[in-house]
């Protein structure tokens, strides 16, 4: 087998929007991913399901795997012929020990590439309204590791740092904050120099403590701080309140779980992130076309005998037209058929294929579609419903109220539930770190329950798109709220009302 290759990829400081385009592209084709604890959850959720994921830990004072062993793992996996991604928080070459990993790869003759990442000493202050350089305040930036071995003195020339009059950013130094501030003061720094500790920047856990060097350790002790956090020292820290922007976003400081089919792009997630939320995507369900499409293929042969085709999901639309192409069925055979769509997403999927639905119910659920379709029929019509194998029965119950309708309810795809296992959603809910979970269908609720089987569901605040989705969440004891309309924008409005404790 040919030797594989290793990519050292910087994952950025946490916000998945700060993960580079190249990093995302390479991660998407990885066969083995060796990742750190500092990699943001939004990036971790992008690890391919098929990839072998190896957690090597590595956070200050918590080392799951020694660095020498990590180096060896990269070599071993590459020698098996795999595409190996070494996924590191921030940037691989900024106190990320990337250089040490390359030494062994070079020695073993294994090809590699380095993909830089957005680094926390610049990005985290930026998310807190602190420009690390400013022509009126400072003309230099200095990044220092605040980590030191227990019982040993710092190997840092604090006098030289003070003399630069530049912005100082200390990484991995929060536990040693009193020592760092004392050393700066001993080296002649003005005790009134503005300074800050910035916690979990670019994520929902972001918190800022701004003070002066002489008082910062006491202030941090009073307010409390969680890792990872960075220390910033310099006059630019005084700009934080004036330039702060992140916390002004409507959903800043909120982590929201979105469940979705993995094969669909989530506009919901993008809109939530634009509002400032940290979004944790749980690909709780995936859809797969059935191997045996015999019933659908027979329907294709008889298309000219149908009066209506009713679609209940964007996936149903995709599978239907993909199978039409496979069988060489001409789309013009749909010319005499009226088309019904359950809601806006399905309507959009049809429009992308040049088809404008004749019927879309005012309320986007199965019962409403069935009722609207029944009322649109005079009697005797033949209706084709290509949909999920576990589709809800409400549409059929409504249609059956007009007994002379001929209904072909054909399963075209299956819904499968999965859990990547990299992120511990159960722990996140139990610790109150997830503000709410967004469900856009009853099947995503089922997928979530399947992915988190041991969770106390009463701890889950569920923002639901419609009645069926809410009923599914209610059945598990979740604290449920329903959007006014079955649209993504209405669900977004609901999430914001939950944030403001306005649930009326």
């Amino acid at each position: 087998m040919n030797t594989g290759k290793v990519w050292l990829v910087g994952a950025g400081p946490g916000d998945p929007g700060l993960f580079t385009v190249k990093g995302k592209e390479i991660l998407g084709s990885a066969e083995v991913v060796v990742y750190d604890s500092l990699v943001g959850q939004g990036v971790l959720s992008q690890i391919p399901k098929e990839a072998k994921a190896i957690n090597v830990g590595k956070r200050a004072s918590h080392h799951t795997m020694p660095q020498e062993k990590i180096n060896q793992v990269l070599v071993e996996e590459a020698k098996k012929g795999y595409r190996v991604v070494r996924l590191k928080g921030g940037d691989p070459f900024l106190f990320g020990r990337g250089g040490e990993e390359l030494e062994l790869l070079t020695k073993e003759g294994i090809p590699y590439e380095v993909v830089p990442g957005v680094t926390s000493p610049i990005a985290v202050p930026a998310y807190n309204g602190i420009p690390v350089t400013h022509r009126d305040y400072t003309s230099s930036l200095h990044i220092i590791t605040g980590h030191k071995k227990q019982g040993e003195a710092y190997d840092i020339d604090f006098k030289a740092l003070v003399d630069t009059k530049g912005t100082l950013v200390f990484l991995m130094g929060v536990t040693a904050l009193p020592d760092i501030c004392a050393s700066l003061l001993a080296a002649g720094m003005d005790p009134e120099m503005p300074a800050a500790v910035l916690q979990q920047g670019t994520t929902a856990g972001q918190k800022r403590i701004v003070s002066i060097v002489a008082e910062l350790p006491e202030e941090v002790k009073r307010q409390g701080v969680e890792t990872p956090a960075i220390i910033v020292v310099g006059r630019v820290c005084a700009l934080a309140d004036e330039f702060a922007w992140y916390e002004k976003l409507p959903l800043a400081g909120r982590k929201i779980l979105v469940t979705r089919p993995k094969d669909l792009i989530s506009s919901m997630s993008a809109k939530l992130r634009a509002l400032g939320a940290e979004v944790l995507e749980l690909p709780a369900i995936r859809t797969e076309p059935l191997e045996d499409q015999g019933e659908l293929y027979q329907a294709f042969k008889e298309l000219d005998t149908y009066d209506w085709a009713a679609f209940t999901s964007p996936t149903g639309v995709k599978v239907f037209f993909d199978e039409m192409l496979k069988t060489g069925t001409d789309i013009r055979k749909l010319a005499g058929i009226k088309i019904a769509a359950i809601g806006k997403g399905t309507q959009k999927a049809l429009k992308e294929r040049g088809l404008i639905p004749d019927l879309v119910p005012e309320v986007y659920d199965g019962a409403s579609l069935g009722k609207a379709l029944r009322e649109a029929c005079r009697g005797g019509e033949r209706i084709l419903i290509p949909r999920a194998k576990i589709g809800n029965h409400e549409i059929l119950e409504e249609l059956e109220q007009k007994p002379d309708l001929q209904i072909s309810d054909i399963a075209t795809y299956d819904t499968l539930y999965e859990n990547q296992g990299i992120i511990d959603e159960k722990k996140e809910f139990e610790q109150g770190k997830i503000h709410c979970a967004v469900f856009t269908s009853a099947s995503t609720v089922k997928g979530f329950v399947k992915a988190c089987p041991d969770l106390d569901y009463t701890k889950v605040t569920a923002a639901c798109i419609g009645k069926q989705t809410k009923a599914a969440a209610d059945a598990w004891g979740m604290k449920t709220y329903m959007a006014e309309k079955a649209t993504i924008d209405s669900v977004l409005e609901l999430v914001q009302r939950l944030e403001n404790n306005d649930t009326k």
Side-chain angles (χ1 to χ4, degrees), residues 204-260:
Q206 178 166 311
K207 175 181 174 181
R208 175 176 70 251
I209 300 173
V210 179
S211 183
I212 56 175
V213 174
E215 297 174 4
L216 185 61
E218 195 57 40
E219 191 60 31
V220 167
K221 189 177 178 182
R222 187 178 69 82
Q223 292 192 37
V225 71
E226 295 178 26
T227 58
I230 68 172
I231 303 163
V232 185
V233 179
R235 292 170 63 205
V236 288
C237 292
L239 298 168
D241 289 341
E242 183 184 350
F243 289 170
W245 58 272
Y246 173 76
E247 57 257 45
K248 293 176 184 175
L249 297 172
L251 294 177
R254 294 299 185 183
K255 185 185 287 190
I256 296 170
L257 182 123
V258 174
T259 53
R260 64 187 174 97

Side-chain angles (χ1 to χ4, degrees), residues 74-332:
L74 297 178
V75 169
E76 289 169 4
E77 296 297 333
K79 282 186 174 179
K80 294 173 187 174
Y82 293 131
R83 293 171 58 88
V84 182
V85 168
R86 173 70 175 103
L87 193 60
K88 305 166 84 73
D91 180 272
F93 281 0
L94 186 70
F95 305 129
R97 303 183 75 172
E100 295 173 47
E101 292 168 354
L102 294 191
E103 286 174 6
L104 188 59
L105 294 173
T106 302
K107 183 181 175 185
E108 296 285 345
I110 292 168
Y112 56 80
E113 286 186 32
V114 179
V115 182
V118 174
T119 188
S120 64
I122 296 174
V124 171
Y127 267 53
N128 282 275
I130 299 173
V132 288
T133 65
H134 189 297
R135 63 184 297 177
D136 295 335
Y137 294 87
T138 180
S139 56
S140 65
L141 165 67
H142 310 271
I143 302 168
I144 310 105
T145 175
H147 181 69
K148 68 181 179 73
K149 290 182 179 178
Q150 201 168 3
E152 291 187 14
Y154 273 114
D155 185 22
I156 295 172
D157 188 340
F158 283 95
K159 179 72 167 63
L161 288 177
V162 171
D163 289 345
T164 66
K165 299 179 181 177
T167 302
L168 311 179
V169 180
F170 294 86
L171 305 185
M172 301 173 288
V174 173
T175 53
L177 177 64
D179 287 347
I180 290 170
C181 290
S183 298
L184 289 171
L185 293 170
M189 178 164 278
D190 179 358
E192 300 286 319
M193 178 66 73
V197 168
L198 309 177
Q199 167 188 301
Q200 297 173 11
T202 82
T203 74
Q206 178 166 311
K207 175 181 174 181
R208 175 176 70 251
I209 300 173
V210 179
S211 183
I212 56 175
V213 174
E215 297 174 4
L216 185 61
E218 195 57 40
E219 191 60 31
V220 167
K221 189 177 178 182
R222 187 178 69 82
Q223 292 192 37
V225 71
E226 295 178 26
T227 58
I230 68 172
I231 303 163
V232 185
V233 179
R235 292 170 63 205
V236 288
C237 292
L239 298 168
D241 289 341
E242 183 184 350
F243 289 170
W245 58 272
Y246 173 76
E247 57 257 45
K248 293 176 184 175
L249 297 172
L251 294 177
R254 294 299 185 183
K255 185 185 287 190
I256 296 170
L257 182 123
V258 174
T259 53
R260 64 187 174 97
K262 191 163 188 174
D263 55 351
L264 295 181
I265 295 169
S266 180
S267 61
M268 174 75 75
S269 297
K271 289 182 177 184
L272 285 167
R273 288 187 178 115
L275 292 168
E278 179 182 355
V279 179
L280 181 56
E281 288 188 338
L282 176 66
I285 65 173
R286 63 185 170 91
T287 53
E288 263 186 20
L290 297 181
E291 285 188 25
D292 181 2
Q293 297 282 7
E295 276 192 87
L296 183 63
Y297 292 172
Q298 185 60 39
F300 287 159
K301 292 175 184 176
E302 303 168 2
L303 277 178
D304 56 356
T305 70
Y306 284 97
D307 300 286
W308 283 91
F311 294 94
T312 61
S313 71
T315 302
V317 173
K318 182 180 185 303
V319 173
F320 183 85
F321 287 97
D322 284 352
E323 297 298 331
M324 277 190 86
L325 276 175
K326 281 184 191 175
T327 56
T329 304
D330 195 318
I331 195 169
R332 287 173 292 186

Side-chain angles (χ1 to χ4, degrees), residues 456-478:
D456 176 359
Y457 301 110
T458 62
K459 295 185 182 295
V460 179
T461 297
C464 305
I465 200 166
K467 287 180 184 176
Q468 293 163 14
T469 308
K470 184 178 186 299
D474 281 333
W476 290 97
M478 298 180 198

